[in-house]
Amino acid sequence: MPPRTPRRRPERPRTHTRRTSAARNDAPVPPSVSILDAAFRRAHRVSAHGTGRVDRARRRAELHLVRSFTVVLRHLRQAQRSATTPALTRLEHELVQLRFPAGALERSVRRVRTAEDRIRVLLRAEERELGRLSDPAEFAGLVRRAYGRLASFVREVDPDLVRLEAIHRFRRSRPELRPGEPTIVVAGFPNVGKSSLVARLSSARPEVAGYPFTTRAIAVGHTDLGFDRLQVVDTPGVLGRAERANVAEREAEATLRSHPTVIVYVLDPSETSGYPFADQETLLRRWRAEFPEIPIIEVETKGDLRRTDSGRLTISSKTEEGIRELRARLEALLKARRLVDASSGPSEGETPNHTA
Ligand SMILES: Nc1nc2c(ncn2[C@@H]2O[C@H](COP(=O)(O)OP(=O)(O)OP(=O)(O)O)[C@@H](O)[C@H]2O)c(=O)[nH]1
Ligand SMILES: [Mg+2]
């Protein structure tokens, strides 16, 4: 009797690199490492049944292929889904464009999809090839080669998987602005008292501090103004230097472009913010021209420090002066637009203004 060829199982490939100096320095582990590790672990937990030795070996090889490829495909799908679901609102899309290179999300999704397609094609080709083989000794070699190709496809999209995860985290770090809900955006120069006012008007408790750019990203609170739910959005300060705007200022302006129901423009006549009143009025004029379709309520805050005779509503987040009046004006404005009173709802032919 000829000596039996020892049955060779494909070795489970090692996906954990040895601890290199980079790894010791806590360099991030590429996503492909954990994806492939999960895939190969899953593939090697199979038990194959069959009528004979060859049959069983073939079945085992087939299961190794199908299981490992399926796990990888599931991870790639999940990576795309977590970055793109729920579908980005127009504002979210703008915010992502501001924080990431232009077109980065679309590019990464496309590349990961292409990798998925190539992996599916590879799986079919390897399954066909396996069907043509008859020697169990060759099965293991085929699986090993297929694993190698699979690994290289996944490694190729490592940068995209990293990017998709970053976009997913970025989206989670921003408040969920509901497109159908009336939205009040509080905006103005830095350090004028926007966050203090948002805290007075809504459930939000944003950080308040006596220096500019305390608020670096939009935040949302809710209020009811006696009726329905309203979103109150706190924004980073804007200096109005269109070409030199930092990313926080551009985030604030993107929020205004998202078509809120009403803007509350906060001016600080005391100039304790550090910015001239005249410059604050210039930005207000610019925005009025830029957003003619959005109602803007102008308020002068820090009324406990300084007041003017401009005729604008004077408020103070310290003493609460004017807050009740501001609420009443907001309520009247929203009611006039039939957005607040739940019983009336939008009238026929009227499309509610909202952040979409
Ligand atoms: N006296 C007085 N101080 C106020 C009032 N409102 C805000 N402040 C102070 O002004 C400073 C800035 O307030 P914030 O609410 O953080 O201002 P902001 O516009 O959100 O600032 P950024 O997020 O940096 O743009 C803080 O020291 C507040 O305590 C007010 O009505 N009266
Ligand atoms: Mg603030």
Side-chain angles (χ1 to χ4, degrees):
M1 209 164 107
R4 247 177 97 173
T5 8
R7 204 169 69 189
R8 284 189 56 207
R9 290 183 176 222
E11 259 177 56
R12 197 174 123 196
R14 246 210 280 220
T15 49
H16 289 302
T17 43
R18 254 181 281 132
R19 287 181 73 78
T20 59
S21 57
R24 272 195 297 275
N25 289 341
D26 288 334
V29 180
S32 59
V33 171
S34 52
I35 293 177
L36 292 166
D37 196 41
F40 297 142
R41 220 171 330 118
R42 177 78 186 87
H44 282 257
R45 277 206 309 259
V46 298
S47 54
H49 304 283
T51 45
R53 188 171 70 85
V54 175
D55 220 32
R56 255 199 316 279
R58 187 194 308 283
R59 181 77 189 124
R60 188 178 311 111
E62 205 172 86
L63 285 172
H64 284 158
L65 287 177
V66 172
R67 294 271 163 89
S68 57
F69 278 58
T70 308
V71 171
V72 166
L73 288 169
R74 199 170 56 232
H75 275 85
L76 299 187
R77 176 48 49 90
Q78 183 52 35
Q80 295 166 60
R81 198 172 293 153
S82 66
T84 56
T85 317
L88 280 80
T89 61
R90 208 164 54 206
L91 174 58
E92 270 187 308
H93 196 264
E94 267 210 59
L95 299 186
V96 167
Q97 299 292 328
L98 278 179
R99 305 273 167 168
F100 296 88
L105 173 61
E106 293 75 9
R107 209 163 33 249
S108 288
V109 166
R110 206 167 43 241
R111 284 170 51 87
V112 173
R113 261 194 211 140
T114 306
E116 274 187 284
D117 292 343
R118 292 166 78 190
I119 289 169
R120 263 190 225 103
V121 170
L122 175 65
L123 175 60
R124 279 198 295 274
E126 298 294 353
E127 280 180 314
R128 267 198 310 274
E129 181 63 22
L130 184 64
R132 282 194 283 269
L133 301 179
S134 51
D135 179 359
E138 294 175 321
F139 298 165
L142 179 141
V143 172
R144 229 180 0 260
R145 281 192 302 280
Y147 278 175
R149 289 204 190 124
L150 173 67
S152 77
F153 285 159
V154 185
R155 282 191 204 110
E156 248 174 56
V157 291
D158 258 333
D160 302 290
L161 296 171
V162 169
R163 167 122 318 137
L164 291 175
E165 171 59 20
I167 292 174
H168 165 67
R169 272 188 275 111
F170 173 75
R171 288 187 69 190
R172 281 219 323 232
S173 73
R174 291 300 180 274
E176 193 192 337
L177 277 176
R178 304 217 189 129
E181 212 166 278
T183 308
I184 299 166
V185 172
V186 177
F189 256 64
N191 210 21
V192 293
K194 301 179 298 300
S195 298
S196 307
L197 175 59
V198 167
R200 284 285 180 206
L201 287 178
S202 75
S203 58
R205 292 294 168 262
E207 191 185 346
V208 168
Y211 50 82
F213 295 111
T214 306
T215 305
R216 308 285 310 169
I218 57 167
V220 69
H222 291 91
T223 185
D224 60 9
L225 286 185
F227 291 87
D228 215 348
R229 258 166 73 96
L230 302 171
Q231 305 173 115
V232 183
V233 185
D234 188 17
T235 58
V238 173
L239 292 170
R241 322 151 299 172
E243 286 79 34
R244 285 175 297 134
N246 63 35
V247 70
E249 293 176 271
R250 287 192 280 145
E251 178 156 331
E253 298 209 78
T255 311
L256 299 182
R257 278 196 299 277
S258 75
H259 214 82
T261 320
V262 51
I263 296 170
V264 173
Y265 188 85
V266 182
L267 297 114
D268 168 19
S270 79
E271 299 184 348
T272 53
S273 56
Y275 299 104
F277 193 53
D279 290 357
Q280 300 174 45
E281 289 189 301
T282 304
L283 177 61
L284 171 61
R285 276 196 299 277
R286 198 188 98 201
W287 279 352
R288 276 209 175 279
E290 229 168 285
F291 308 112
E293 74 290 0
I294 309 172
I296 300 182
I297 296 184
E298 303 170 16
V299 297
E300 291 184 7
T301 191
K302 306 189 187 177
D304 52 302
L305 298 180
R306 183 156 186 262
R307 31 203 330 125
T308 72
D309 54 9
S310 65
R312 293 189 184 105
L313 175 62
T314 294
I315 63 161
S316 166
S317 301
K318 282 264 158 9
T319 65
E320 277 198 64
E321 175 194 355
I323 301 292
R324 192 195 291 258
E325 171 65 19
L326 174 57
R327 280 177 166 280
R329 287 195 192 180
L330 283 166
E331 199 177 307
L333 191 144
L334 294 165
K335 241 182 173 176
R337 299 195 146 225
R338 301 192 171 229
L339 285 163
V340 176
D341 190 343
S343 59
S344 54
S347 65
E348 228 178 289
E350 188 182 356
T351 332
N353 243 354
H354 60 65
T355 299

